[in-house]
Amino acid sequence: MKNLKYWIMLILASFFWAGNYTLGKAVVTQVTPLQLTFVRWLFASIFMLIIATIIEKPNWKQVFKSWPILLFLGFNGLIGYNMALYTALKYTTPVNASLVSALNPALMVAVSAVVLHERLSKLQKLGIVFSLSGVMVILTQGNLARLVSLDFNRGDLLMLIAIAVWTVYSIVGKRLKTIKPITASAAAAVLSTLVMLPVVVYQTKAPIALNTSGILSVVYIVLFPSVGSLMFWNLSVRQIGAATAGVTLNLIPVFTSLFSILMGESITLPQIIGGLMVFAGVYTTSGLLENQIAKRKKKRGEAV
């Protein structure tokens, strides 16, 4: 019970991130993915700078001495990932995008094994294969003959690029141990905004025009997925650990599906089957299944 509030924070973080898929798709019909990404981090960086200053009290001069790696992280995780995500949402559904992104934890484990030489168990390898199979079901909409003709939705393929970019961001970010997490995110957001500014100015021939629902959606994206989820995630991970907290990320496709149903969209059988396969694979890859098996063996040993 002492960690209940942190679990609530993690559930809310996934809930807010799910809204980013649904509302992001609506906003990119009015502005470009680059404009949305720029506006998102322009305003979010202001809030994050304030929050980081209050909570983590960083020495900003020292922080920005690490600008090369912070810029790299911002270019990957904030610009690259969000550009790929919002562009993908122009061509695919929020449900499909969130289901493909659910592969990310398994992909991170696989890449870490190659890059960081971390050993994988047989169950983890099986989980990765199962997750990839689930994504294939989603990409082909249950028609595996599409694998032969390479007939895929471009939005789904862009989501594969998005999670690959996020994997790089996550692995590189692990090595940035000298700067606290909220501070690092705030600094990366500031640098990302500065990089995007000249490109956005060049691209934007007329003032960005959003209707009322578009403005409210952008406000949501700035306050909740960007600032709220980040705060809840970082605070909870410190308390209960990243591996355990990562399980709640599987709620993002669930919440996205609920949002989509409320907005009148239907959920297909291949999405359900593929999503369940991805979840099962991630559960196995994360080591949770092995932990459960180990606990059962230990109980049996104690019983004997």
Side-chain angles (χ1 to χ4, degrees), residues 167-202:
T167 298
V168 173
Y169 168 83
S170 301
I171 290 175
V172 174
K174 285 182 180 179
R175 301 193 172 189
L176 189 64
K177 297 178 180 179
T178 57
I179 304 175
K180 293 182 180 180
I182 300 176
T183 298
S185 299
V190 170
L191 292 172
S192 299
T193 303
L194 293 175
V195 168
M196 286 186 283
L197 179 60
V199 184
V200 172
V201 171
Y202 175 79

Side-chain angles (χ1 to χ4, degrees), residues 224-297:
F224 296 99
S226 306
V227 180
S229 292
L230 177 75
M231 280 286 299
F232 289 160
W233 175 262
N234 285 326
L235 289 171
S236 301
V237 164
R238 287 185 184 184
Q239 182 67 23
I240 65 177
T244 305
V247 179
T248 60
L249 295 177
N250 293 331
L251 291 172
I252 295 177
V254 176
F255 287 136
T256 303
S257 299
L258 292 175
F259 287 149
S260 297
I261 291 172
L262 290 174
M263 296 180 72
E265 294 184 18
S266 59
I267 307 299
T268 66
L269 183 60
Q271 286 176 328
I272 295 172
I273 294 173
L276 290 173
M277 290 175 69
V278 172
F279 296 158
V282 170
Y283 179 77
T284 305
T285 307
S286 65
L288 290 174
L289 179 58
E290 288 179 305
N291 290 338
Q292 291 296 324
I293 293 173
K295 286 179 181 178
R296 287 175 184 172
K297 287 183 178 179

